[in-house]
Amino acid sequence: MKKHVFIIGGGVAGAEAASQLVKMGFDVTLAEKETQIGGKLNQWDRLFPSKRKAAEVLDFINKNLVDSKARVLFNTEISKISKQNGGYKIYAGIEECTADAILISTGYDVFNARIKEEYGYGIYENVITSVDLEEMFRNGNKIFNSNKEEPKRIGFVHCVGSRDEKVGNHYCSQVCCVTAVKQAMEVKEILPRAEVYCFYMDLRMFGLQFEDLYRESQEKWGVNFIRGRVSEAAENIDGTILIKVEDTLAGRPLKMKVDLLVLMVGFVPSAGTTEIGKMLNLDLTPENFLKPADEHLDTSSTNLKGVFIAGTCKSPKTIADTFADARAATLKIKEFLEGSEK
Amino acid sequence: MNSFDIFVLPFAIGLYTLLIVFFAKVFDWIKHLPVGDRRKIGRGIRSRKLFGVVKEIFLESLIHRRIFKVNPLLGYMHMSLAFGWFLLIVLGAAESKIYGRDLLNTPWDPIFFKYFKHDTNEFHSAFFNFTMDFLLLFVLSGVFLAYLKRIYARLFGLKKTTKHIFFDRLAIISLWLIFPLRLLAESLTSGIYHNGGFLTDGLGSFLAGFMPVGHLEYTAWWLYSLSVGAFFVALPYSRYMHIPTEILLIAMRRFGIKTTTTFTNFSQIEVYSCPRCGICIDKCQMTSALGNEKPASVYFLNTIRAQKVKPGLSFDCMICGRCEQYCPVGISLMNHRLVQRNKLISNGYNFQFLKNGIPEKARIAYYAGCMTHLTPSIEKAMIKILEKAGTDFVFIDKDGGACCGRPMMLSGNFEGAEKLIEFNRNNILKSCADILVTSCAICYKVFKSNYDLPLKVLHHSEFILELVKSGKININKSGLRAVYHDPCELGRGSKVYEEPRELLSHALELVSTGYDRENALCCGGSLGNIMLGYEEKNKINAAVWKEMMVNDPEMLVTACPLCKKTFNKNAPVPVRDIAEIIADAVQISPVKPNHQLAPEQIAG
């Protein structure tokens, strides 16, 4: 009889793992709480570094998943998981399934920018997040401020909810720096006459071609980078945003008026990740992501036998890394299931 | 009456040593007291304040009323020891003076009275024998509780007790022995001569049945004398110095003397008045949330008394005021911490950035404060309320302004704070306002305590309550169940407890926590402690959240922007400022449509 793998979360990691596991010859059920596959990828317009359309990647995942004929439960949340005969019993929505292994791919949430109240998200209309900006890009590349005017000056605030002990997140979310550079260039593409400023602590351009993007953004597009953390934002009567920041390279405080302020929100473990972690009593990293069994040698297993993790429920990741991580997890699952047969 | 034996010497030497050391100290303290403080004593002694002094000495030094409020059993223990011993001394002195018909008898006459006086035919003996035995029993019950407290501190409402220094141990051991030894000595004597009351004679007769009481008596009186003598010698160097010093403290405090910005001899008296009872250890959140007892006020005062103040300890305190609230002696613990900080800080600031502006004139001056600028929803709510109520106001620090000075005061930089105070004070006065309203509990505290403004200073919770009471705004009440968090600077700092509650009760249902009003916890975001990292602050905050959620509120409301920011990090329920609640409840204007995503959508 075929072994059964239950996957929780149908984002990039979950969907990719599902089709791979079917290919390996396992029975797969994928539970997704939304009505579509792809998770956060649905919210992005173009991906760094090549600016390929996110839709292309989505199509790839969807096609593979449909072709694999893996069973997909939409609109389904997990209410309970219990141990049964060496495997697990999962209460998914109205169904009860048994599984020999579980893969958790419940992903991340973006940091709730309202917590960083001094930036005025949710209070000032012209303060938006990087997610909101992607939505503008997807909705026909139109960027407007609240008065339906094209902004003349746009500021990007890096590290919102990342590397910020004040909000309890001291880790780096990895992808926001390069996303800001990508978005700044895209804004310049759409609004060539607009001034664009990025306020950063340092730029962590860790991937191949990221450094080139950073260079291109300055040389070709004239994006301005100011090293300093924005301390607060205030709203002027005309709706523009007055920001206070210290230019730490020039060593002087700065006040600047912008028409639109974009907050580069970081990664936090998703509500689903936290919930499943609690449900199964999984070990957590100090940052409250799910903790792998071994940081170097086995990043797919957990402290619970037969429960595996993949994707951004473990740590912030790029799309490429998420794919690689999902495939690594499928190998680990295969090893576990076939090993248990002997 | 001829009453001398060589065994009175330990007692006598102890007593005289104590008197000499103590009065030498008192002389030194008074001599080097600031002139102003000395004048206050001079005026106070001749005023009716003296009655208050006597009353407080009776209630606090003998009855220990404040300790009763913390825990009745702990209060009884202290009362039986202090008040019981006091009555023993008074009655013992009376007994010996009446018996000997000598008003100027020796100090040891009453102490060793039973040893020297054997005839029980005097008409007053029955009364004294009974009363003295009863009082001895009363004190012994306290001694018994003191033993018990060492084993089961929790029975007395204490989780932690003070770790003692050498002289404290010496004194406490001798103190614990004094009364059992007195019981033993008097009983043995009564076993021979039957000159005791119900307790000592009863025990004495019993012991005489199987013990050679005649041989043991003398040794017992020796031991008794030694224990009292040892206690007296150790007293000035131990925590029991608080017994005589507290009397001075109560008098001087009643005469209006305080520890403010410098360490005076009055401060020294406060330090010596600390009984090291350890009530402050439990109240300190550094202990309860972080397991760090070291910064507790009792140990901090120890270092001041020993002249070994550690800079780290001076700054490792949130200045939340919980210890001071519950200190049974009423020592100004927060000011002591700031005064020590003041000795350590450097004054390398220049204030050239302060540029005087000319504010518009209005009846009400609104000062949001730096922290409110970092929580713009509070600022927005306040402006809405001010506009809705049709008030004539000017927003003094709209473009930032200068800091109120309180954070500098908390760091001990009183001189720097003074510059900021002077600058802001001028600006406030130039607005010609009658009322100054602030949204920040921290600013409010310094406006009230240090600005000396000739106008009404209101926290926005008080101000909005006035607007509601005068009918300038109307509020819709909802069924929302919320918990109110008292900010330290507004609650314990400025004694504003009821106005925010009254105001909130117009808009929602308030549920209580175990930590309301004076007993409120610090949110952990304190500006007072510069030693704490964010991780530790988060830990403290998480512990507070646990307490706030005991009655399942749907929201947490506070009245300080810093508390709001601190609570917002790991919030299980929404956190809002009191002004936001009211701004929503008056429904000033419909919320404008917003092109941004709601957080639910982002989270999805």
Side-chain angles (χ1 to χ4, degrees), chain A residues 92-104:
Chain A
I94 46 167
E95 286 195 42
E96 288 173 25
C97 311
T98 53
D100 302 294
I102 295 176
L103 175 65
I104 300 168

Side-chain angles (χ1 to χ4, degrees), chain B residues 365-380:
Chain B
Y366 175 59
Y367 183 96
C370 321
M371 286 311 302
T372 311
H373 285 302
L374 296 179
T375 45
S377 49
I378 302 176
E379 188 182 308
K380 244 188 165 171

